């Protein structure tokens, strides 16, 4: 039984094992858990994809899902995250999926037997998003060695960028970054490319949403100006590699980081990523709950 908190804790072999299990679930494999297993999804931040695909994954695995809504829970009375998860553990919940706006919220959950699967922590990590991105890339190219992946946009506020940069580099891909300089963390300066260069030279182009909710001030750029300067425009898409693919964790701001007409174009894998998310989350839940 294992937590999944960050991509950093997974060795390359373990990442490949999760991707392989996800492929087997995609091909119809089922998991016989023996006795009933109970899980809960604790979302303290908005989500459509992560929350719904975890719920889909849990139902496909035949897990018992204990309903939890932050708005009607005793968190509203001031109960801590630790006491919330400890309570669920006491009543028999074996694994929780948590999304929280506090970076590394999981540091306060040490010592619990209930396994924690991180569904996103502030600007920190989003390991299951990263794993579904990796699965989508591997389906397309067969592996990661010698691939170049461009991550473009609001890098500083993106947990997806951080998780993907760690994992892709570990697996042998080259990661380059692009986007507005003011949203560019100093540690990635050596991997900076212009938007035009990075889109034309990369095998996978991953666009990121502007995370307005994590900004202390509003951007000086209008939507149109951002699109022209840093977005995947129709003309930039024409200069992509013939076999290059477009990724986006979503939700997408159509017409901002990507042209509306490109969201479902021939090279886009955005909805494939969401489909893969269910199988990845099945694999991660199995890993969290099985005795090994
Ligand atoms: N990609 C992603 O995490 O989407 P949600 O915020 O809708 O879960």
């Amino acid at each position: 039984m294992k937590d999944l908190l960050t991509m950093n804790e997974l060795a390359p072999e373990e990442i490949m094992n999760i991707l392989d299990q996800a492929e087997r679930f995609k091909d119809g494999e089922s998991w016989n858990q023996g006795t009933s297993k109970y899980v809960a999804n604790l979302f303290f931040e908005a989500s459509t994809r992560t929350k719904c695909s975890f719920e889909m994954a849990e139902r496909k695995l035949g897990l018992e899902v204990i309903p939890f809504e932050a708005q009607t829970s005793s968190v509203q009375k001031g109960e801590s995250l630790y006491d919330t998860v400890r309570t669920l553990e006491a009543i028999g919940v074996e694994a929780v999926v948590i999304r929280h706006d506090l970076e590394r919220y999981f540091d306060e959950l040490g010592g619990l037997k209930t396994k924690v699967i991180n569904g996103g922590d502030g600007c920190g990590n989003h390991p299951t998003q990263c794993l579904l991105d990796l699965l989508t890339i591997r389906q397309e190219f067969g592996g990661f060695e010698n691939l170049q992946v461009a991550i473009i946009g609001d890098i500083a506020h993106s947990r997806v960028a951080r998780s993907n940069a760690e994992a892709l580099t570990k697996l042998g891909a080259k990661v380059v970054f692009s986007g507005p300089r003011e949203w560019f963390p100093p540690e990635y300066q050596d991997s900076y490319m212009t938007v035009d260069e990075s889109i034309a030279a990369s095998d996978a182009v991953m666009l990121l949403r502007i995370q307005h909710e994590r900004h202390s001030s509003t951007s000086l750029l209008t939507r149109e100006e951002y699109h022209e300067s840093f977005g995947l425009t129709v003309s930039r898409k024409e200069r992509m590699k013939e076999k290059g693919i477009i990724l986006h964790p979503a939700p997408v701001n159509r017409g901002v980081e990507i042209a509306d007409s490109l969201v479902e174009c021939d090279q886009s894998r955005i909805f494939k990523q969401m489909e893969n998310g269910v199988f990845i989350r099945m694999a991660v839940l199995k890993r969290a709950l099985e005795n090994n």
Side-chain angles (χ1 to χ4, degrees):
M1 292 171 74
K2 288 179 178 155
D3 295 315
L4 178 61
L5 307 176
T6 72
M7 286 305 291
N8 221 7
E9 72 208 43
L10 296 179
E13 189 188 321
E14 210 166 358
I15 294 175
M16 290 303 179
N17 285 343
I18 294 172
L19 303 192
D20 291 345
Q21 179 61 67
E23 287 287 7
R24 291 196 294 277
F25 280 135
K26 184 167 175 284
D27 292 341
E29 187 177 289
S30 57
W31 177 40
N32 182 359
Q33 316 143 28
T35 54
S36 294
K37 293 192 180 293
Y38 295 87
V39 299
N41 303 311
L42 282 57
F43 279 69
F44 298 94
E45 235 193 18
S47 169
T48 295
R49 274 145 293 273
T50 311
K51 187 166 190 279
C52 294
S53 65
F54 263 113
E55 284 179 5
M56 182 63 82
E58 288 153 359
R59 288 176 198 213
K60 280 177 178 268
L61 288 173
L63 298 170
E64 301 287 346
V65 185
I66 302 302
F68 177 91
E69 293 300 334
Q71 290 308 315
T72 53
S73 73
S74 287
V75 170
Q76 301 301 325
K77 302 174 199 162
E79 189 164 40
S80 69
L81 183 61
Y82 176 87
D83 282 341
T84 302
V85 180
R86 183 70 185 85
T87 299
L88 292 170
E89 179 177 280
I91 66 173
V93 170
E94 290 174 73
V96 287
V97 179
I98 302 180
R99 171 171 288 192
H100 205 289
D101 61 0
L102 181 66
E103 205 167 313
R104 296 192 66 85
Y105 66 80
F106 41 77
D107 286 345
E108 66 178 272
L109 300 179
L112 294 172
K113 286 197 200 75
T114 293
K115 296 299 142 194
V116 177
I117 300 172
N118 183 8
D121 61 297
C123 299
N125 305 270
H126 197 347
T128 60
Q129 176 68 45
C130 176
L131 288 163
L132 72 88
D133 293 340
L134 295 177
L135 184 63
T136 310
I137 292 170
R138 194 178 74 166
Q139 284 169 349
E140 203 72 32
F141 301 104
F144 304 96
E145 293 281 343
N146 304 319
L147 288 183
Q148 180 167 306
V149 179
I151 304 182
I152 303 173
D154 186 358
I155 312 288
H157 301 97
S158 174
R159 52 196 175 205
V160 176
R162 195 157 295 120
S163 291
N164 269 299
E166 277 172 16
L168 283 162
T169 307
K170 196 155 44 180
L171 294 169
K174 180 179 177 191
V175 180
V176 297
F177 299 94
S178 196
R181 282 284 192 183
E182 65 266 34
W183 298 338
F184 210 77
E187 65 266 29
Y188 294 151
Q189 289 298 340
D190 292 348
S191 310
Y192 182 83
M193 269 189 169
T194 67
V195 173
D196 288 303
E197 281 171 335
S198 67
I199 287 175
S202 297
D203 301 288
V205 173
M206 182 181 295
L207 304 154
L208 301 176
R209 184 175 67 86
I210 307 169
Q211 310 235 342
H212 292 292
E213 69 275 26
R214 303 193 203 283
H215 288 218
S216 50
S217 58
T218 50
S219 169
L220 296 175
L221 295 177
T222 64
R223 290 167 62 92
E224 292 74 21
E225 285 166 345
Y226 183 92
H227 186 59
E228 281 312 310
S229 302
F230 303 109
L232 184 63
T233 59
V234 171
S235 64
R236 286 194 180 110
K237 190 259 186 188
E238 298 297 310
R239 297 196 290 277
M240 278 182 65
K241 287 186 173 184
E242 201 182 322
K243 297 204 167 153
I245 59 167
I246 300 165
L247 303 171
H248 192 309
V252 175
N253 294 305
R254 290 175 180 251
V256 183
E257 60 268 9
I258 178 169
D260 185 12
S261 63
L262 299 180
V263 173
E264 295 186 66
C265 74
D266 55 343
Q267 286 173 270
S268 170
R269 299 293 178 269
I270 295 173
F271 288 92
K272 171 61 79 180
Q273 288 172 270
M274 296 176 204
E275 192 185 317
N276 282 333
V278 174
F279 305 114
I280 282 294
R281 287 166 178 136
M282 289 172 77
V284 167
L285 284 159
K286 177 172 183 278
R287 176 178 175 273
L289 290 165
E290 74 186 349
N291 292 313
N292 52 13

